[in-house]
Amino acid sequence: MVEILLSDRKNIGLTQLQELLQNGFTCDFNDIEPWLTDWRGRYTGKALAMISPISTEQLSQAIKICAKFEIPIVPQGGNSGMVAGATPNDDGDSIILSLRKMNAIHYQRTTPNLILCEAGVILQNLHDAASEHSMRFPLTLGGKGSATIGGLISTNAGGTQVLRHGNMRALVAGIEAVLPNGTIYDGMSALKKDNRGYDITQLLIGAEGTLGIITKAKLKLVPAIQDRIGIWVGLESPHKAYEFLLHMSQRCGNQMEGFELISEASITRVLQYIHGTRLPINPQPWYILIELVQDCDDSKNVQILAETSLAEPLNDGLILDAALSTNETQLEDFWKLRDSISEAERAAGPAFQHDISVPVHRMADFIENISPQLEQKFKGCELIAFGHMGDGNIHYHVKAPDGVSQEHWMPLEKQVNSAVYDAVISYGGSISAEHGIGQSKLEELERVSDEARLFALRAIKKSFDPHNIMNPGKLIKPD
Ligand SMILES: Cc1cc2nc3c(=O)[nH]c(=O)nc-3n(C[C@H](O)[C@H](O)[C@H](O)COP(=O)(O)OP(=O)(O)OC[C@H]3O[C@@H](n4cnc5c(N)ncnc54)[C@H](O)[C@@H]3O)c2cc1C
């Protein structure tokens, strides 16, 4: 009886949503189906309907209906997230909220360092819009053709230029959001100083849609790049890489935008599986990819800066070999080697993937001590470490022994993940550096977090969203 009443209430809510949104509402399975599975293909859920509002006001009305009838909402941008945060769970109780129709961009010459965009704007389109005004939005990542501003803000995304420009949190000047009761939070004035208590904007950044829906943002721009160069370096070990990072940071200051660590094993697979890739130097145990940029008149010429900075580490044997990109195509080729690692690895066989961080100065120790321990514990597996070493963030993958199928490797997932995350915590690190928690790290966050963190996360969630309608089952479980 109670169930019938509940589903009746939901049906009334769905009817009201349909009346409000008209063709921005669908419960046709064919429309919804492509959005029910996460990017990695690990989770598939069910949904009652999908709504695609065209404005903040319309969304606010829709959320008031959802709040009244307690219909859970799963916000979704480009569905390129790595932790299944935008995938509904499989009880089929919720609706998907697609922000993709809200995709306007406005640039005003009176505020040249800011750009306003709606949540559904795709990152690549924002890059293009900024460059039309000789400006640049400096955050970039491999999923830029799909990832949206709402998703990037909600996951506090990182990417390859964090070393200089910070993650999304550092690049947001203001946001507008619809809160779980349908009210509109206006934090768009982009004030440099604003001490009205809790910073609600920062609270919503990285909240993975569990506290409200981001509808608009004012984002910070920097001047467009005048010139840039890629440096591909070969060296012996992660420890040498850390010393090299210190050297290059001192010599290049904030002209160095990325410092990416890559292992020989990763590159071997890229060369094997990704068509048209070529290593610019002879094979070495480890590689670093650096990008130096020149974007203001008093910055140094990148070619000269690269050559002078490399002379000493080459002479001293800190690095073994180096190649500089001579044009944009070559630089793109360097990045292709780096960006294709995950794809090549997928082709090579199953792996458990971890996006982790430890303090920058401890990363080399972590890789060199923990990898052999895990290889010993899970016989035959291979540890692959690559990524944003300059930020203390690597992607740390535990690859199944050669010839072991996905089916036989999967039962070990929980055990392997726990071993990796315990090691990360013992190094003072985080089990999620830039991808968020979503569904896939929910249990582990509970397991490894201290009481104070869990208390604060639950208290915030409960006070914003007492009926748990905002992306339930993601980030934090209510009490
Ligand atoms: C090839 C590739 C490379 C990548 N590289 C990186 C990388 O280097 N660094 C990095 O950080 N990430 C990376 N990612 C992951 C991904 O691109 C980011 O997590 C991105 O922020 C997700 O954006 P999205 O629009 O696809 O969000 P979705 O996947 O749709 O959603 C992500 C989360 O945000 C919530 N959400 C979405 N829109 C809103 C909104 N408007 N309001 C409230 N909540 C919302 C969702 O509910 C979900 O919890 C990569 C992805 C791919 C495919």
Side-chain angles (χ1 to χ4, degrees):
M1 181 65 181
V2 174
E3 258 178 33
I4 292 167
L5 284 177
L6 277 176
S7 69
D8 276 354
R9 270 176 65 71
K10 281 218 163 124
N11 283 338
I12 299 169
L14 289 177
T15 308
Q16 291 191 8
L17 284 172
Q18 185 165 23
E19 279 165 13
L20 172 75
L21 290 142
Q22 303 286 323
N23 60 8
F25 176 98
T26 178
C27 47
D28 181 337
F29 181 73
N30 293 325
D31 295 338
I32 301 173
E33 208 245 335
W35 311 107
L36 291 175
T37 299
D38 75 301
W39 187 83
R40 280 193 162 144
R42 300 281 310 276
Y43 293 78
T44 296
K46 295 183 196 142
L48 291 169
M50 181 162 82
I51 63 168
S52 316
I54 51 168
S55 69
T56 304
E57 291 66 32
Q58 197 182 50
L59 176 62
S60 158
Q61 294 304 316
I63 291 192
K64 281 181 181 156
I65 295 171
C66 292
K68 184 170 172 190
F69 295 98
E70 293 188 19
I71 300 175
I73 303 154
V74 181
Q76 196 176 88
N79 198 23
S80 70
M82 295 292 188
V83 289
T87 309
N89 56 28
D90 57 13
D91 62 15
D93 219 20
S94 44
I95 59 168
I96 295 177
L97 162 61
S98 165
L99 276 303
R100 287 180 284 271
K101 280 188 184 165
M102 293 178 59
N103 58 8
I105 303 179
H106 299 287
Y107 179 79
Q108 286 184 329
R109 292 198 178 276
T110 46
T111 51
N113 299 326
L114 295 174
I115 194 159
L116 187 155
C117 37
E118 289 186 314
V121 168
I122 289 173
L123 181 57
Q124 180 64 62
N125 295 343
L126 172 61
H127 286 166
D128 295 345
S131 73
E132 278 171 27
H133 302 284
S134 304
M135 299 298 282
R136 172 169 69 119
F137 182 64
L139 185 142
T140 189
L141 39 79
K144 65 187 173 189
S146 317
T148 63
I149 297 311
L152 292 158
I153 293 176
S154 300
T155 55
N156 184 28
T160 48
Q161 325 297 110
V162 172
L163 188 62
R164 177 177 178 196
H165 298 284
N167 48 21
M168 207 61 191
R169 210 177 271 293
L171 294 168
V172 172
I175 59 167
E176 178 192 80
V178 181
L179 301 184
N181 63 356
T183 52
I184 300 171
Y185 165 71
D186 180 358
M188 288 291 280
S189 38
L191 300 171
K192 272 198 188 288
K193 290 187 160 187
D194 178 12
N195 271 352
R196 285 174 283 179
Y198 309 127
D199 191 330
I200 296 163
T201 296
Q202 288 297 332
L203 206 52
L204 289 161
I205 298 173
E208 301 184 34
T210 60
L211 302 180
I213 311 298
I214 314 285
T215 45
K216 286 185 191 132
K218 247 182 210 164
L219 301 172
K220 298 176 190 173
L221 300 179
V222 297
I225 290 175
Q226 296 165 10
D227 200 2
R228 61 178 187 153
I229 197 167
I231 308 175
W232 188 275
V233 167
L235 34 68
E236 241 165 46
S237 65
H239 272 107
K240 297 274 183 194
Y242 178 62
E243 278 180 54
F244 183 52
L245 169 67
L246 296 182
H247 168 84
M248 292 303 279
S249 304
Q250 201 188 26
R251 295 300 296 265
C252 305
N254 70 6
Q255 284 189 251
M256 183 165 72
E257 293 217 335
F259 189 96
E260 300 282 312
L261 176 77
I262 301 156
S263 72
E264 217 271 305
S266 297
I267 283 303
T268 305
R269 293 209 177 89
V270 170
L271 298 175
Q272 186 181 353
Y273 291 105
I274 307 295
H275 179 71
T277 49
R278 202 177 61 82
L279 192 57
I281 57 175
N282 286 329
Q284 306 292 348
W286 290 85
Y287 304 98
I288 294 292
L289 172 57
I290 292 175
E291 185 172 310
L292 298 183
V293 306
Q294 195 175 343
D295 60 3
C296 51
D297 294 337
D298 58 358
S299 49
K300 293 179 188 148
N301 174 288
V302 280
Q303 175 83 28
I304 296 171
L305 184 59
E307 284 168 2
T308 53
S309 310
L310 291 177
E312 193 185 312
L314 269 171
N315 279 339
D316 295 352
L318 178 62
I319 61 175
L320 302 171
D321 201 356
L324 305 184
S325 65
T326 50
N327 53 44
E328 276 292 308
T329 316
Q330 213 173 28
L331 175 57
E332 290 303 328
D333 288 345
F334 285 9
W335 275 114
K336 186 170 177 186
L337 286 169
R338 157 67 183 88
D339 289 338
S340 309
I341 293 174
S342 294
E343 192 184 332
E345 202 189 283
R346 259 202 305 272
F352 301 129
Q353 305 174 333
H354 310 96
D355 153 52
I356 55 158
S357 63
V358 299
V360 183
H361 70 281
R362 302 194 71 188
M363 182 54 85
D365 273 347
F366 178 86
I367 297 171
E368 291 183 16
N369 293 337
I370 298 301
S371 299
Q373 285 177 26
L374 293 171
E375 278 165 353
Q376 179 73 18
K377 191 173 166 103
F378 301 101
K379 292 263 178 292
C381 76
E382 183 190 350
L383 265 296
I384 300 162
F386 68 94
H388 320 304
M389 185 173 187
D391 311 327
N393 167 205
I394 50 161
H395 303 305
Y396 196 55
H397 297 181
V398 186
K399 192 189 158 300
D402 284 342
V404 171
S405 68
Q406 175 88 1
E407 191 193 349
H408 286 96
W409 189 228
M410 277 319 285
L412 279 182
E413 184 173 29
K414 218 172 159 151
Q415 218 182 324
V416 170
N417 290 354
S418 297
V420 170
Y421 295 142
D422 286 346
V424 167
I425 298 298
S426 75
Y427 273 72
S430 164
I431 68 165
S432 178
E434 58 177 7
H435 291 161
I437 299 298
Q439 297 185 59
S440 55
K441 292 187 176 177
L442 189 72
E443 303 285 342
E444 283 293 308
L445 182 74
E446 299 253 342
R447 192 181 69 81
V448 301
S449 297
D450 57 44
E451 210 183 318
R453 181 179 295 275
L454 292 175
F455 165 79
L457 288 173
R458 285 209 181 91
I460 293 166
K461 169 71 177 168
K462 205 167 173 183
S463 59
F464 262 71
D465 184 21
H467 300 297
N468 194 23
I469 60 163
M470 284 288 163
N471 215 2
K474 317 290 164 53
L475 208 171
I476 185 76
K477 285 188 209 158
D479 283 330

